[in-house]
Amino acid sequence: MSLTAAPTAEPAPPAEAILRRQRVRESAARTYARSFPIVPVRAHGMTVEGADGRRYLDCLAGAGTLALGHNHPVVLAAIRRTLDSGAPLHLLDLATAEKDDFTTALLESLPAEFAGGARVHFCGPAGTDAVEAALKLMQTATGRRGTLAFTGGYHGMTAGALAVSGNVAVKEPLPSGGEVTRLPFPFRYRCPFGLGGEAGERVSARYVERLLDDPSGGVVRPAAMIVEVVQGEGGAVPAPDDWLREMRRITAERGIPLIVDEVQTGVGRTGAMWAVEHSGITPDAMVLSKAIGGSLPLAVVVYREEYDGWQPGAHTGTFRGNTLAMAAGAATLRHVTANGLAVRAAAVGRYLMTELTALQRHLPVIGDVRGRGLMIGVELVDPSAEPDVCGAYPADPALARRVREACLARGLIVELGGRHDAVLRLLPPLTITDEQAHAVLDRLSDAIAAAAPR
């Protein structure tokens, strides 16, 4: 009998071991971890380095959270100053110098006609809690129930926020989360009325107005309307400015508060500091999260003071006083403003969309390119199938998944969204350089060409 030990298997690389433990330990609800089986160990700006030494250009940027990219010096300096100062990191909702400074920076960044006299409510650390707070606020202020929400909208995963979201797949297994009237969002490429263009936008506005005024329409006057200026998870679908102005007119004339969800569109993302600035509307409330915390968890509702009818404790939570996030957020807001990064986002966004639209001539699987600023969607379709009445081809989610994988293999992180998860979503940091923009286009176009049917 040989005393020689049998050869043992080589130990798994640290990254593989980590990924294996994640699959075993974490819930089946994992999302981004499934799309990107990498273990990031370092990140700076738009670049993420994995444990295997590979580098990736990050066009997800924390689903729009990282306005300044990873580990921006301004953000790190604000965090270090706060840590070194000995400031308490958790104080519920007590007043601190950091909170006061953040609130000042936030109100200074908002449109003056909205910020004047506005109130700020600090919520739990995620945008979905801010949506819940906004809905409760308007129900309290109006004494009414019900919400007007739109097809394609996404507002979060807690009960009320999910109820006003449009994604059927995540809502189907659950009981109803509230009384919601679903309205058609104007979508030029896949118009809900089969018209497309400005005709679809006009019909959408008229439909909303007539439905609300119809005594047999079945809609009891609601507590609020909630809308995204650019639908993010819905596939980077922008609301036309004229249509949004009509929604503001219709709601104002009928005494319906208008809540604008700027969780993903805020802090320069769409080419303006806040997406409502494109249309010039003044909402009754704005829901803010993601980039306002400078990469750390933070969410607020800002609203007109006449709606401030809450009693103490009406919407509270343990983690409403994240000192580090407030310091990082104030630094981010001021840096974006001082350095004109919203203008930069508009310019780079125009360049990317122009180049991607030009690619359609060579890659017919690109059905539509849309968005605003650095919130861009590229919808992939099956051009061999029959188009709909507006000329749009069926979405091709299988191709989109192949393109995402091909992008990752080429060092580009791009996530999917939209109907059928067939939209490649580009959400790079506002600090993206010209060289990085060129690299994104090169890698993306190469991945689409490689994954498309021959």
Side-chain angles (χ1 to χ4, degrees):
M1 179 177 178
S2 172
L3 298 178
T4 305
T8 58
E10 289 291 328
E16 289 301 318
I18 291 171
L19 290 171
R20 185 173 63 248
R21 285 194 292 271
Q22 182 183 48
R23 288 192 294 271
V24 171
R25 294 172 175 173
E26 293 189 25
S27 82
R30 298 187 316 279
T31 52
Y32 300 116
R34 296 178 187 274
S35 305
F36 311 109
I38 60 176
V39 179
V41 293
R42 276 173 293 276
H44 178 75
M46 194 175 170
T47 303
V48 172
E49 183 179 334
D52 58 359
R54 291 199 65 204
R55 293 187 174 185
Y56 304 86
L57 287 177
D58 185 2
C59 263
L60 180 56
T65 298
L66 303 171
L68 303 183
H70 295 274
N71 293 322
H72 192 279
V74 164
V75 172
L76 295 182
I79 293 172
R80 289 190 180 109
R81 276 197 309 273
T82 306
L83 290 172
D84 292 343
S85 74
L89 300 184
H90 183 273
L91 273 176
L92 300 169
D93 65 352
L94 299 185
T96 65
E98 292 76 18
K99 179 189 279 190
D100 182 63
D101 186 55
F102 170 79
T103 306
T104 299
L106 177 62
L107 291 174
E108 287 176 348
S109 76
L110 290 165
E113 62 275 17
F114 177 64
R119 296 288 184 267
V120 180
H121 180 80
F122 288 86
C123 303
T128 188
D129 187 63
V131 170
E132 298 283 351
L135 296 175
K136 286 169 61 177
L137 172 72
M138 295 312 179
Q139 289 167 357
T140 301
T142 64
R144 302 194 294 264
R145 300 177 304 160
T147 310
L148 303 174
F150 290 90
T151 54
Y154 177 80
H155 302 284
M157 283 290 182
T158 50
L162 187 59
V164 295
S165 296
N167 191 317
V168 173
V170 294
K171 292 154 66 84
E172 228 169 8
L174 303 171
S176 173
E179 186 178 319
V180 178
T181 300
R182 191 75 50 189
L183 302 171
F185 191 84
F187 188 173
R188 290 198 167 201
Y189 187 62
R190 298 195 183 280
C191 177
F193 301 102
L195 298 171
E198 294 181 3
E201 297 162 17
R202 288 194 298 270
V203 171
S204 173
R206 294 293 77 75
Y207 174 84
V208 172
E209 187 165 28
R210 294 194 177 195
L211 178 65
L212 294 177
D213 291 345
D214 185 350
S216 295
V219 180
V220 177
R221 193 162 60 136
M225 172 188 283
I226 187 167
V227 66
E228 297 165 279
V229 181
V230 181
Q231 291 189 337
E233 302 302 318
V237 183
D241 291 339
D242 286 342
W243 177 86
L244 201 56
R245 285 189 279 267
E246 280 292 274
M247 293 304 102
R248 175 67 284 193
R249 178 189 65 80
I250 290 166
T251 53
E253 289 177 355
R254 289 155 183 81
I256 301 171
L258 178 63
I259 303 168
V260 174
D261 183 340
E262 290 243 25
V263 167
Q264 194 165 100
T265 54
V267 195
R269 171 62 54 190
T270 67
M273 191 65 181
W274 305 99
V276 292
E277 296 178 62
H278 295 294
S279 64
I281 68 164
T282 302
D284 297 299
M286 288 172 63
V287 178
L288 314 176
S289 188
K290 290 192 184 290
I292 65 164
S295 75
L296 298 178
L298 189 60
V300 302
V301 181
V302 186
Y303 54 92
R304 289 168 50 192
E305 59 185 327
E306 57 261 42
Y307 294 102
D308 198 24
W310 271 339
Q311 295 298 314
H315 190 89
T316 188
T318 302
F319 294 102
R320 293 173 56 210
N322 188 332
T323 306
L324 289 181
M326 291 172 185
T332 297
L333 289 165
R334 291 188 173 114
H335 188 81
V336 169
T337 299
N339 291 273
L341 293 186
V343 175
R344 169 70 179 167
V348 178
R350 279 193 300 271
Y351 165 72
L352 289 173
M353 289 183 66
T354 298
E355 294 299 309
L356 289 167
T357 300
L359 271 178
Q360 288 181 280
R361 295 194 293 269
H362 311 290
L363 296 169
V365 294
I366 298 177
D368 191 34
V369 177
R370 56 180 179 264
R372 204 154 199 175
L374 289 175
M375 196 170 175
I376 299 170
V378 179
E379 182 159 351
L380 300 181
V381 300
D382 179 3
S384 67
E386 191 73 22
D388 66 16
V389 293
C390 292
Y393 291 101
D396 194 337
L399 171 60
R401 290 192 294 272
R402 293 198 301 272
V403 171
R404 180 177 60 192
E405 292 172 6
C407 284
L408 194 64
R410 288 159 175 77
L412 180 64
I413 296 174
V414 174
E415 186 54 303
L416 308 180
R419 274 77 165 173
H420 309 290
D421 275 342
V423 179
L424 305 171
R425 298 184 58 214
L426 304 182
L427 293 162
L430 312 188
T431 53
I432 183 173
T433 65
D434 291 346
E435 181 182 8
Q436 288 170 332
H438 296 320
V440 167
L441 285 170
D442 288 344
R443 297 179 194 186
L444 182 59
S445 59
D446 189 46
I448 297 173
R454 303 290 183 204

